[in-house]
Amino acid sequence: MSEVVVTLEKRAAVGVIWVDSPPVNALSQPVRQGLVDCLAKALSDPEVHAIVLACKGRTFIAGADITEFGKPPKGPELGAVIARFEASDKPVVAAIHGTALGGGLEVALGCNYRVAAREAKCGLPEVKLGILPGAGGTQRLPRLVGVPKALEMIVSGDPVSAATAKDLGLVDHVVREDEGDLLTAALAFAGRVAARRPLPKIRDLTAHIEKAKAQPELFEKARKDAAARARGGQAPLRCVEAVKAAVELPFDQGLERERQLITEAIESTESKALRHVFFAERQAAKIPDVPPGTPTTPIRRVAILGAGTMGGGIAMAFANAGISVVLVDREAPLVDKGMALISKNYASTVSKGRLSQAEMDARMARITGTTSWDGLADVDLVIEAVFEEMGLKKEIFGRLDKLCRKDAILATNTSTLDVNEIARSTSRPEQVIGLHFFSPANVMRLLEIVRGEKTSKTVVATSMKLAKDISKVGVLVGVCYGFVGNRMLHAYGREAQLLIQEGALPQQVDGVITGLGFAMGPCATSDLAGIDVGWRIRKGLPKPPPGERYSGAVPDRLAEMGRFGQKTNAGFYRYEPGNRTPIPDPAVEAIIAEVSKELGIARRAIGDDEILERCMYAMVNEGAKILDEGIALRASDIDTVWINGYGFPPYRGGPMFYADTVGLAKIHSRVLEFLAKHGKMWTPSPLLQRLASEGTTFSSLDARRAGDVPA
Ligand code: T1G
């Protein structure tokens, strides 16, 4: 007997259909069946004159049940469920709270009316799963809100607020303060429309469709914009095709076209990758030995040491989340400069209409700039974001150890240094953790949470919760040089530079990487970050051991010539002043040829496949070593790091998922070939070797480790 997740309650002459299927009332088979059964009951009850569809828990229906994708379909089919609601001869009012998303909003669009709570959001995010709305959303939404807005909502997948939904006509009513709670307002609304006929059905609306018929250019532009946005992904383009069908075909044929497109999409590697990314992000929050319920420390006041770009961005991330911040630096001019940059960043967001002046003022008021450490005695968390130098960090942590409350968490934002060594400079290593933000820290979603050998479970649990509280994706990693992201970036960057020494050009390497879906290739990224940054770090590092080639020769030469990248309008590319478009520069080709000659390398023609394989497989091999060493808990965590911190295209699923799509046996055999040709930096990871020989994948390794499949 399947669990009862949908019930019917009679409130006077209104039948309330309640969905109660935590955590997000997803449209699982029992929910779909329950909706059909309860609707039939309400329709056949003569005392029921109107119906309200409402949900228990934190949200209205948040979509189809993604865990059912790829499994044999079970009836009733969602489109058929919605058709029954649309065919109802009694008015159906959807009462929306939380997030009405995907199939959830499509169910609401099958109802006659929609009433929303003030904080509610409505959206069709299917494109973010590599698919498109598949239960009428691409046919009903354009009829209701117009084709341009429907295209925007469906191709972006971004939700709209209740207020915007009202302005668009997407919802009929937003609950006012004086109306009481959502159910009360929805029942009153249902009472008002109970006798109103004919019942409005979105499928019958034609005005917006007729208007769009006269604007064929709409879809040309939408297709171009979608292609630019997708960088090789297909889902946004399929979304455009489906909405186009709404204009070109009668309603039921449009539905059929939508079904064809989603059937294609759901089987695509792109959608499998994006579904992997969806669950990977949620898995990352689960730490096997730090179960939910582990005590956490409330973080209400935070101090940040270092008011530079990084410190300022981190301060904004906390202020944005309503947490007060003390921003400390050693000299007043540095503090003023940091505060001014924060204010400038907020002002630019206000000028783009994405933040109100009042909210900017509120956030600025939460940040106090100072040179004094007095306030640190009372904070819950300190994040050190000063220059990457071990001696300086240890001196600072020694001082914090004496000054801060015993239960305060001491965190370092180091991107490479040994967190255990820093922790040993205090008497409370269990309170020390790495919180590695990515620049710009107020924008980048990734937070690498670096667990030291002594870090307590409470500090780990607090940091994981904190990441969610400040709208970051927290990924727990262990201590090693460069943690997960930078360590793999080093391997990827090494191969990119060695390929340039051997015969490739920056624009060719970058072209291959952007062809994979990255926004930028390694050379353009170096120009953005500043070639001098890596150069200064390399100068402090020992040269590679014999038999391992030095990959820094070309960027060192560029830096020695003052070509630091965008900031000097010359790096791997040249730039027109004030313009960030990289322009291939013959001068760089000459410099590279000179360096190759000095290194005794005869330059050769290099194919795009070799570039792709060496850059990606170096990353994957390093990822496998990281997994083997336990620096990352799951292969999917590595994917979450690369997608949220390093611009890996989500529709490829991340480096480890991508590797599974290529096949680990193929990758392992290529790695062995590169080992023979290029030396021991290509020593295959034992884990890669094992999985390749077993003919298995990183995803199934994760499943085995999570106990989802037998070991
Ligand atoms: N199906 C199955 N499980 C889901 C789910 C879904 N649609 N949405 C969330 N979960 C699980 C999630 O894995 C997690 O599980 C728990 O719920 C809490 O989620 C026909 C085909 C709703 C905004 O894309 O965006 O409809 O980790 O941690 O931060 O056209 O979840 O606890 O075990 O994210 O408060 C379209 C996806 C589907 C919405 C809540 N819908 N969900 O965020 O909680 S396709 C979506 C979200 C579709 C139709 C098509 C968010 C949320 P666990 P959470 P949250």
Side-chain angles (χ1 to χ4, degrees):
M1 172 61 193
S2 64
E3 84 257 49
V4 176
V5 287
V6 184
T7 53
L8 177 65
E9 176 197 1
K10 276 171 68 177
R11 294 283 190 110
V14 179
V16 182
I17 297 178
W18 284 109
V19 179
D20 186 7
S21 180
V24 295
N25 292 313
L27 288 154
S28 61
Q29 191 280 337
V31 169
R32 298 194 304 273
Q33 188 60 57
L35 286 170
V36 168
D37 299 345
C38 289
L39 179 64
K41 246 190 275 170
L43 291 176
S44 61
D45 184 335
E47 292 172 5
V48 171
H49 299 159
I51 299 165
V52 166
L53 171 62
C55 295
K56 299 265 172 76
R58 62 170 146 176
T59 182
F60 188 78
I61 302 167
D65 186 338
I66 308 170
T67 62
E68 290 184 354
F69 291 12
K71 295 182 181 142
K74 290 194 195 127
E77 192 263 328
L78 182 55
V81 175
I82 296 173
R84 287 172 188 251
F85 275 80
E86 194 165 54
S88 164
D89 58 3
K90 298 178 180 179
V92 184
V93 179
I96 298 172
H97 76 291
T99 51
L101 300 175
L105 182 58
E106 290 173 301
V107 170
L109 292 173
C111 299
N112 306 106
Y113 303 97
R114 287 149 294 283
V115 171
R118 282 182 300 285
E119 312 70 34
K121 287 197 162 72
C122 299
L124 295 173
E126 285 86 344
V127 70
K128 298 180 180 178
L129 296 169
I131 56 176
L132 60 146
T138 66
Q139 306 304 302
R140 291 191 176 90
L141 190 66
R143 281 173 164 76
L144 189 60
V145 304
V147 170
K149 192 63 199 176
L151 277 169
E152 186 194 314
M153 285 182 68
I154 294 172
V155 173
S156 73
D158 297 333
V160 295
S161 68
T164 303
K166 178 74 173 74
D167 295 345
L168 293 171
L170 177 52
V171 300
D172 301 278
H173 182 68
V174 175
V175 182
R176 295 188 312 275
E177 301 267 353
D178 63 348
E179 279 184 288
D181 64 18
L182 172 63
L183 183 66
T184 309
L187 288 171
F189 189 96
R192 288 198 294 275
V193 300
R196 211 180 285 174
R197 292 297 181 281
L199 294 173
K201 296 178 190 296
I202 297 175
R203 63 173 294 148
D204 301 335
L205 299 175
T206 56
H208 286 306
I209 299 301
E210 292 314 313
K211 188 166 165 229
K213 279 190 178 139
Q215 306 164 293
E217 74 289 352
L218 262 178
F219 291 103
E220 232 3 82
K221 181 173 179 319
R223 202 176 286 121
K224 239 172 58 255
D225 295 352
R229 185 195 187 101
R231 292 206 197 98
Q234 293 308 305
L237 297 164
R238 286 200 183 96
C239 289
V240 174
E241 282 319 300
V243 177
K244 191 160 173 282
V247 173
E248 294 176 345
L249 301 171
F251 184 78
D252 291 315
Q253 288 172 42
L255 277 184
E256 187 41 44
R257 180 75 183 117
E258 178 192 85
R259 203 190 321 280
Q260 284 164 0
L261 287 162
I262 193 169
T263 308
E264 260 173 48
I266 224 158
E267 288 312 313
S268 68
T269 304
E270 174 179 339
S271 179
K272 289 175 184 152
L274 287 162
R275 278 140 49 193
H276 162 77
V277 170
F278 177 86
F279 288 114
E281 221 173 272
R282 282 141 187 93
Q283 274 307 95
K286 299 171 183 150
I287 314 302
D289 69 332
V290 183
T294 301
T296 59
T297 312
I299 304 293
R300 287 181 284 264
R301 246 177 99 65
V302 174
I304 297 165
L305 302 184
T309 314
M310 211 59 203
I314 298 171
M316 291 174 75
F318 282 94
N320 297 352
I323 299 172
S324 65
V325 180
V326 185
L327 185 60
V328 185
D329 213 314
R330 58 186 195 287
E331 289 154 23
L334 294 173
V335 174
D336 298 345
K337 187 167 167 231
M339 292 300 287
L341 181 61
I342 292 172
S343 175
K344 184 165 157 263
N345 285 340
Y346 277 133
S348 115
T349 313
V350 170
S351 68
K352 293 180 190 130
R354 291 208 306 264
L355 186 70
S356 69
Q357 187 59 48
E359 185 50 27
M360 168 179 168
D361 300 344
R363 293 178 187 193
M364 284 302 294
R366 289 187 199 117
I367 306 173
T368 315
T370 178
T371 56
S372 159
W373 284 44
D374 295 351
L376 273 58
D378 183 36
V379 297
D380 307 305
L381 165 68
V382 182
I383 303 176
E384 159 277 312
V386 303
F387 189 65
E388 274 292 73
E389 202 272 310
M390 184 56 93
L392 174 62
K393 298 206 188 257
K394 288 166 85 169
E395 186 252 326
I396 284 175
F397 273 73
R399 281 180 67 189
L400 292 173
D401 190 28
K402 297 188 183 61
L403 191 62
C404 296
R405 276 197 341 252
K406 277 292 159 242
D407 66 337
I409 296 175
L410 308 183
T412 170
N413 178 55
T414 181
S415 57
T416 54
L417 299 177
D418 184 339
V419 172
N420 291 323
E421 188 176 343
I422 293 172
R424 283 194 288 273
S425 65
T426 74
S427 63
R428 53 164 105 187
E430 72 285 356
Q431 291 296 109
V432 175
I433 196 161
L435 293 180
H436 179 208
F437 289 79
F438 288 75
S439 185
N442 55 312
V443 177
M444 295 298 284
R445 293 183 71 222
L446 180 66
L447 180 59
E448 260 186 336
I449 297 173
V450 189
R451 181 181 194 168
E453 60 202 6
K454 294 268 178 24
T455 306
S456 75
K457 292 185 178 177
T458 291
V459 170
V460 170
T462 303
S463 304
M464 297 304 294
K465 177 179 177 305
L466 184 66
K468 196 153 189 178
D469 294 346
I470 61 173
S471 305
K472 301 291 181 198
V473 180
V475 179
L476 190 71
V477 300
V479 175
C480 69
Y481 186 81
F483 314 129
V484 169
N486 284 348
R487 180 171 160 185
M488 292 167 70
L489 182 70
H490 180 71
Y492 156 66
R494 176 199 74 215
E495 284 310 306
Q497 291 310 323
L498 291 177
L499 284 156
I500 287 172
Q501 288 179 7
E502 293 166 34
L505 289 174
Q507 55 270 33
Q508 184 192 9
V509 173
D510 282 3
V512 169
I513 299 301
T514 52
L516 193 67
F518 280 79
M520 250 185 198
C523 300
T525 305
S526 297
D527 278 357
L528 175 68
I531 296 174
D532 54 321
V533 178
W535 178 49
R536 290 182 217 292
I537 293 174
R538 280 192 300 277
K539 279 207 273 189
L541 293 174
K543 284 286 178 285
E548 197 171 307
R549 293 169 48 204
Y550 175 56
S551 60
V554 171
D556 287 357
R557 181 63 50 85
L558 293 173
E560 285 148 13
M561 299 171 72
R563 297 180 68 106
F564 294 166
Q566 286 188 12
K567 57 185 152 188
T568 56
N569 293 327
F572 282 100
Y573 300 94
R574 71 177 180 81
Y575 300 83
E576 295 297 340
N579 187 322
R580 292 169 176 269
T581 311
I583 305 164
D585 187 344
V588 172
E589 286 183 41
I591 294 166
I592 293 171
E594 194 184 288
V595 170
S596 300
K597 196 153 167 256
E598 287 166 18
L599 294 171
I601 298 172
R603 297 181 63 74
R604 60 186 172 89
I606 296 182
D608 288 357
D609 289 352
E610 180 181 351
I611 292 172
L612 182 72
E613 290 189 321
R614 282 174 60 181
C615 289
M616 288 300 117
Y617 299 174
M619 194 193 283
V620 170
N621 193 34
E622 201 61 34
K625 291 177 185 170
I626 285 171
L627 261 181
D628 226 359
E629 295 162 21
I631 299 292
L633 288 171
R634 290 161 281 244
S636 63
D637 285 1
I638 296 177
D639 292 334
T640 302
V641 163
W642 267 80
I643 284 167
N644 292 289
Y646 297 82
F648 200 100
Y651 73 85
R652 303 271 183 199
M656 309 314 273
F657 182 91
Y658 169 75
D660 283 349
T661 61
V662 172
L664 301 188
K666 174 180 176 194
I667 292 178
H668 181 244
S669 68
R670 291 296 279 151
V671 167
L672 289 175
E673 287 169 34
F674 294 146
L675 173 66
K677 273 206 204 108
H678 303 293
K680 64 182 178 57
M681 61 208 160
W682 278 102
T683 304
S685 140
L687 176 66
L688 177 63
Q689 204 149 9
R690 194 173 78 241
L691 297 178
S693 62
E694 291 168 2
T696 181
T697 63
F698 288 120
S699 298
S700 54
L701 174 75
D702 280 356
R704 274 205 308 276
R705 286 183 173 178
D708 296 349
V709 293

